[in-house]
């Protein structure tokens, strides 16, 4: 048995040797040993396909906890995977509840006035903002995996939804259909989010770059603030357009007869108070609760002031009426047929993706601060489910709010129970307190929104983007100016377009570099990064910093030939020996397709006509396998494929390598 086993090992060794590309020269004494470039073991097509699918969609190995578990345990793990509350709820205690209770009450005091204001951005009645902070947070608390995110309406999504909806239906002349379209869009936003999570396609939201998001958010913040000038200045007739030119024209045209000084005094006074409260919260971290409760205090004081002075009779616009009671069912109001179905779907997909991007970014930020893992796909399913349920209970698109999440974190939240506490406070507000908001002036809601969105303008992030990557800065500014001077959807389109353009540019025009030898080492590096690196006479070393695909194969071939032509011209002028070997360093080349193989063949053919030998250094397992399968290895010569650049140089031109 032992002899059979050893003979099998010998056969396997021989098989691996025959499938290895090497400089198959017998090295004599004194000649450096040339290592072989090994071929990976052959994989069956189905196994290779399943491995690719697993790495693409299941890279986090979600079924790992289920391995080697009894059926009862698998069932429990399955329930916990869908409803994480059953996992962390087992360790919940009074100490954690204390933190969640304080955090929940704090964010509730912030969310109530914000929700009333944000519903106006979406062109909906005030109660719909409150509805959206009642049901969705409860669903998220059961299904979400973030401990810190605070759920509810947010300014950017409210503005985006309001803009897209009013392009289809006028909210003033046809409020019923407008509301129904809002619920339809919310339903499809939830479907989009849940589908991405179930199909594990969350990587799609990463196509919207950080720079584009910074620009889009900054532009949206300015647009939102400008929209609040209607309530802040007491203007009755205001443009429906969101671009800065139209808004400013509307403001100045109404300056002589449309502004109300009482409204301006209320708005300016409380905006100053809110900004001062924020300043205190930033200066002293232990006073985080001051800016959190400032909006509610502002609402109470301004409402009381208007009530005792009857300022509404002097032109001060007030909320007037908020529907009392909890969310009424709205399943029958969703458009499942008719002309508005497609429109609701389109708006829902756009709003859902933006809401998802914001929520995941917020969740990841606070997860990294508390050092725990956030499952992006679970988050998508949770957010999608809450918006689907929300659409059936008179809510519009809800997501994670950065301002509320930051307050939630600072207030010491421990789990998603803080969302449940907030939801309970909103429930009590809807049941008993909404009539008290009757005399709340619109100016105070405008001031609250302006103070909230100021934080979305991130100057430091824009400056950092400029320092790091100028193309990213172009994407940032493109999205920013697109939102300000055109519209929210145009800005979003520009953001996505520039993000895709950057990806295409990087794929189709990858970087290449000429390498030189670092003195007193066998290391070869980019001569632009290391000016002291010396070129090896008669040898040109080029590194390709990308996979070689159909989209860039021709460019890479032509770029290498241009490098070669430029180098030969310089050598000719200096009366130095011409190039005899072209070494292509392939360490960064992670993959190659048939177009890439064809480009290598053409490069080899072009070099032969110039009496230059093509040499490959350190091709990876995928690349070497395809080179071998396509017989390019035979074309180039198996003795011209090396493990390292140093070995390639020493083999091709040993004396010259020593001199260099």
């Amino acid at each position: 048995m032992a002899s059979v086993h050893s003979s099998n090992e010998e056969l396997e060794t021989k098989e691996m040797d025959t499938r290895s590309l090497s400089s198959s020269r017998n090295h004599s004494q004194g000649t450096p040993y040339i290592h072989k470039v090994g071929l990976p073991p052959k994989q069956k097509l189905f196994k290779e396909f399943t491995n690719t699918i697993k790495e693409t969609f299941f890279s986090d190995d979600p079924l790992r906890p289920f391995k080697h578990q009894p059926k009862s345990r698998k069932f429990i793990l399955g329930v916990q995977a869908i409803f994480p509350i059953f996992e962390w709820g087992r360790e919940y205690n009074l100490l954690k509840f204390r933190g969640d209770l304080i955090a929940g009450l704090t964010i509730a005091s912030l969310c109530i006035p914000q929700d009333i204001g944000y519903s106006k951005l979406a062109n909906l009645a005030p109660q719909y903002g409150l509805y959206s902070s009642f049901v969705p947070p409860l669903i998220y608390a059961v299904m979400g995996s973030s401990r810190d995110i605070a759920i509810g309406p947010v300014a950017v999504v409210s503005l985006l939804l309001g803009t897209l909806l009013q392009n289809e239906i006028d909210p003033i002349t046809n409020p019923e259909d407008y509301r129904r379209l809002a619920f339809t869009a919310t339903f499809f936003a939830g479907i989009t989010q849940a589908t991405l999570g179930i199909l594990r396609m969350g990587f799609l939201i990463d196509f919207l770059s950080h720079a584009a998001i910074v620009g889009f958010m900054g532009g949206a913040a300015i647009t939102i603030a400008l929209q609040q000038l209607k309530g802040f200045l007491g203007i009755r007739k205001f443009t429906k357009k969101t671009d800065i030119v139209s808004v400013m024209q509307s403001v100045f045209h109404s300056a002589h007869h449309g502004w109300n000084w009482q409204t301006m005094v209320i708005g300016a006074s409380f905006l100053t108070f809110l900004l001062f409260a924020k300043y205190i919260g930033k200066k002293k971290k232990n006073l985080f609760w001051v800016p959190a409760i400032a909006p509610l205090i502002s609402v109470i004081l301004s409402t009381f002031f208007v009530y005792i002075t009857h300022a509404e009779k002097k032109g001060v616009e007030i909320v007037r009426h908020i529907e009392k009671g909890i969310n009424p069912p709205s399943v029958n109001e969703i458009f499942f047929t008719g002309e508005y179905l497609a429109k609701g779907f389109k708006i829902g997909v756009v709003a859902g993706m933006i809401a998802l991007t914001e929520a995941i970014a917020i969740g990841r930020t606070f997860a990294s601060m508390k050092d725990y893992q956030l499952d992006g796909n679970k988050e998508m399913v949770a957010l999608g489910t809450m918006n689907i349920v929300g659409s059936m209970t008179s809510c519009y698109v809800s997501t994670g709010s950065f301002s509320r999440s930051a307050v939630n974190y600072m207030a010491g939240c421990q789990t998603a129970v803080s969302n449940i506490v907030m939801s309970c406070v909103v429930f009590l507000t809807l049941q008993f307190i909404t009539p008290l908001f009757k005399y709340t002036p619109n100016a105070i809601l405008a001031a609250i929104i302006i103070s909230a969105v100021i934080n979305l303008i991130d100057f430091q992030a824009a400056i950092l983007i400029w320092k790091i990557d100028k193309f990213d800065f172009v994407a940032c500014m493109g999205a920013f100016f697109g939102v300000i001077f055109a519209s929210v959807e145009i800005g979003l389109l520009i953001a996505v377009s520039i993000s895709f353009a950057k990806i295409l540019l990087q794929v189709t025009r990858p970087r290449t570099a000429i390498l030189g030898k670092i003195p007193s080492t066998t290391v070869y590096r980019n001569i632009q990064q290391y000016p002291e690196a010396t070129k090896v006479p008669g040898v040109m070393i080029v590194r390709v910093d990308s996979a070689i695909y159909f989209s860039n194969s021709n460019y890479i071939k032509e770029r290498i030939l241009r490098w070669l032509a430029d180098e030969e011209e310089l050598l000719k002028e200096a009366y130095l020996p011409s190039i005899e070997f072209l070494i292509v360093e392939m360490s960064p080349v992670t993959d190659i397709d048939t177009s890439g193989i064809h480009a290598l063949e053409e490069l080899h053919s072009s070099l032969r006509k110039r009496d230059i030998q093509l040499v490959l250094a350190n091709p990876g397992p995928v690349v070497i396998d395809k080179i071998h399968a396509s017989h390019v290895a035979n074309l180039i010569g198996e003795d011209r494929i090396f493990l390292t650049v140093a070995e390639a140089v020493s083999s091709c031109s040993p004396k010259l390598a020593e001199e260099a």
Side-chain angles (χ1 to χ4, degrees):
M1 287 295 288
S3 62
V4 172
H5 182 68
S6 65
S7 64
N8 285 340
E9 282 187 348
E10 287 174 11
L11 284 170
E12 286 177 9
T13 305
K14 287 178 181 177
E15 188 179 345
M16 286 297 294
D17 286 342
T18 57
R19 297 191 65 245
S20 296
L21 300 182
S22 67
S23 59
S24 54
R25 297 182 294 275
N26 295 322
H27 59 285
S28 57
Q29 193 172 7
T31 305
Y33 178 75
I34 304 300
H35 296 87
K36 298 176 181 180
V37 177
L39 267 171
K42 280 288 184 184
Q43 281 189 345
K44 292 181 180 179
L45 180 62
F46 179 74
K47 188 177 180 182
E48 189 176 351
F49 175 75
T50 52
N51 286 343
T52 303
I53 293 293
K54 183 180 177 182
E55 194 60 33
T56 304
F57 297 103
F58 304 97
S59 56
D60 57 341
D61 196 7
L63 299 178
R64 190 176 185 180
F66 293 83
K67 290 179 181 176
H68 313 300
Q69 297 289 345
K71 288 185 179 180
S72 58
R73 180 61 183 160
K74 285 181 179 178
F75 175 76
I76 293 170
L77 289 172
V79 171
Q80 289 177 347
I82 300 170
F83 305 106
I85 193 171
F86 290 113
E87 182 178 359
W88 55 260
R90 294 163 60 193
E91 300 174 359
Y92 200 70
N93 53 44
L94 283 173
L95 187 65
K96 288 183 178 179
F97 178 69
R98 179 177 171 274
D100 287 334
L101 179 64
I102 295 170
L105 292 173
T106 308
I107 58 175
S109 67
L110 179 61
C111 89
I112 291 168
Q114 281 188 351
D115 291 346
I116 296 170
Y118 291 159
S119 61
K120 287 186 175 293
L121 283 177
N123 300 312
L124 292 166
Q127 64 267 19
Y128 293 103
L130 294 170
Y131 292 161
S132 301
S133 281
F134 173 45
V135 174
L138 293 175
I139 304 297
Y140 182 84
V142 175
M143 298 185 68
S145 56
S146 173
R147 304 172 196 166
D148 304 279
I149 198 167
I151 298 296
V154 296
V156 174
V157 176
S158 298
L159 175 69
L160 177 66
L161 199 63
T163 304
L164 296 176
L165 289 172
Q166 74 177 4
N167 289 342
E168 305 297 339
I169 302 173
D170 191 322
I172 298 171
T173 59
N174 194 359
E176 187 178 342
D177 282 347
Y178 181 89
R179 186 179 66 248
R180 292 184 65 188
L181 187 60
F183 296 152
T184 306
T186 303
F187 176 79
F188 283 113
I191 292 290
T192 301
Q193 293 168 338
T195 302
L196 288 175
I198 292 167
L199 298 179
R200 305 187 68 79
M201 296 177 69
F203 58 85
L204 291 177
I205 65 171
D206 293 330
F207 281 99
L208 196 61
S209 68
H210 171 69
I213 292 171
V214 168
F216 175 76
M217 290 294 187
I222 291 175
T223 301
I224 290 165
L226 290 173
Q227 289 288 303
Q228 300 317 302
L229 291 177
K230 178 186 178 183
F232 195 83
L233 302 175
I235 301 171
R236 293 180 183 272
K237 292 183 180 179
F238 201 72
T239 181
K240 291 182 180 178
K241 295 180 180 178
T242 59
D243 63 282
I244 189 170
V245 176
S246 300
V247 170
M248 296 314 294
Q249 282 179 348
S250 184
V251 169
F252 289 121
H253 285 166
S254 59
H256 297 295
H257 55 83
W259 294 12
N260 181 275
W261 71 266
Q262 292 96 335
T263 302
M264 292 168 62
V265 169
I266 294 170
S269 301
F270 283 102
L271 179 59
T272 304
F273 169 68
L274 290 167
L275 294 176
F276 180 67
K278 276 196 169 187
Y279 174 78
I280 292 173
K282 281 186 178 179
K283 279 291 181 182
K284 296 187 177 181
K285 298 295 182 185
N286 60 326
L287 296 177
F288 66 89
W289 52 270
V290 173
I293 66 167
L296 189 59
I297 292 172
S298 300
V299 168
I300 294 169
L301 292 176
S302 62
T303 303
F304 180 70
F305 173 77
V306 171
Y307 177 72
I308 62 171
T309 60
H310 291 289
E312 77 279 4
K313 294 179 181 178
K314 298 175 184 178
V316 175
E317 288 289 318
I318 58 174
V319 172
R320 295 195 183 278
H321 178 69
I322 300 179
E323 199 73 41
K324 189 178 178 182
I326 60 171
N327 310 34
S330 56
V331 182
N332 296 332
E333 295 193 38
I334 298 172
F335 288 114
F336 290 112
T337 57
E339 61 174 315
Y340 291 126
L341 174 62
K343 293 174 180 178
F345 174 77
K346 181 184 72 173
I347 296 169
V349 169
V350 174
M353 291 294 283
I354 293 298
L356 200 58
T357 303
E358 188 170 354
I360 296 296
I362 292 166
R364 285 174 179 169
T365 299
F366 289 106
S368 64
M369 290 168 72
K370 284 192 174 180
D371 194 27
Y372 66 89
Q373 292 296 318
L374 190 75
D375 190 326
N377 291 295
K378 280 184 185 177
E379 284 295 286
M380 291 173 199
V381 174
L383 292 164
T385 305
M386 80 178 191
N387 277 315
I388 292 169
V389 175
S391 70
M392 299 176 182
T393 51
S394 300
C395 305
Y396 72 93
V397 181
S398 297
T399 187
S401 165
F402 189 82
S403 59
R404 272 175 264 175
S405 299
V407 170
N408 198 29
Y409 172 81
M410 294 292 291
C413 71
Q414 299 295 316
T415 66
V417 170
S418 60
N419 274 294
I420 298 175
V421 173
M422 179 190 73
S423 186
C424 291
V425 175
V426 173
F427 165 76
L428 294 173
T429 303
L430 284 165
Q431 282 290 80
F432 306 109
I433 305 175
T434 50
L436 300 179
F437 291 111
K438 179 181 178 180
Y439 289 98
T440 301
N442 288 339
I444 192 62
L445 300 178
I448 289 168
I449 292 173
I450 291 170
S451 68
V453 298
I454 283 173
N455 290 341
L456 295 177
I457 306 171
D458 197 342
F459 292 106
Q460 295 302 319
I463 293 168
L464 186 62
I465 289 166
W466 166 258
K467 290 179 180 177
I468 295 172
D469 192 322
K470 301 300 185 286
F471 195 94
D472 266 356
F473 187 76
V474 171
C476 180
M477 290 298 102
F480 179 78
F481 289 117
V483 173
I484 289 178
F485 288 102
S487 64
V488 176
E489 58 266 38
I490 294 296
L492 183 59
L493 183 63
I494 291 171
V496 174
S497 299
I498 294 178
S499 297
F500 269 103
K502 184 181 180 183
I503 294 169
L504 289 173
L505 190 64
Q506 290 177 336
V507 169
T508 58
R509 295 293 182 268
R511 296 181 187 275
T512 55
I514 294 180
L515 307 186
K517 185 173 181 285
I518 303 293
S520 305
T521 71
T522 58
V523 177
Y524 291 80
R525 291 292 182 265
N526 188 340
I527 59 173
Q528 289 185 339
Q529 185 178 0
Y530 299 92
E532 71 275 14
T534 56
K535 296 178 183 177
V536 180
V539 179
M540 180 176 173
I541 309 164
V542 178
R543 188 183 67 214
V544 179
D545 293 335
S546 165
I548 305 176
Y549 292 131
F550 66 93
S551 58
N552 61 21
S553 58
N554 194 54
Y555 168 79
I556 290 171
K557 181 197 71 177
E558 291 179 354
R559 189 71 189 91
I560 291 173
L561 291 174
R562 281 204 309 276
W563 279 123
L564 186 63
D566 293 343
E567 189 69 15
E568 285 186 323
E569 192 176 321
L570 290 171
L571 292 173
K572 191 174 181 181
E573 289 175 0
Y575 300 101
L576 293 172
S578 60
I579 302 294
E580 296 178 27
F581 298 94
L582 174 69
I583 300 173
V584 181
E585 154 71 301
M586 302 190 78
S587 299
V589 182
T590 55
D591 200 357
I592 189 169
D593 65 2
T594 49
S595 297
I597 293 292
H598 188 58
L600 279 181
E601 292 172 344
E602 290 179 346
L603 179 63
H604 177 261
S605 178
S606 297
L607 293 175
R608 280 189 66 186
K609 292 174 183 176
R610 305 183 190 191
D611 293 325
I612 298 173
Q613 176 67 53
L614 176 63
V615 179
L616 304 181
N618 196 23
V622 175
V623 176
I624 194 67
D625 194 34
K626 292 182 180 181
I627 287 174
H628 185 67
S630 62
H631 303 293
V632 169
N634 296 331
L635 181 69
I636 296 172
E638 293 188 3
D639 59 340
R640 294 302 177 199
I641 302 175
F642 297 89
L643 184 63
T644 65
V645 173
E647 289 185 357
V649 172
S650 64
S651 178
C652 296
S653 185
K655 290 182 180 178
L656 294 175
E658 287 173 12
E659 289 173 11

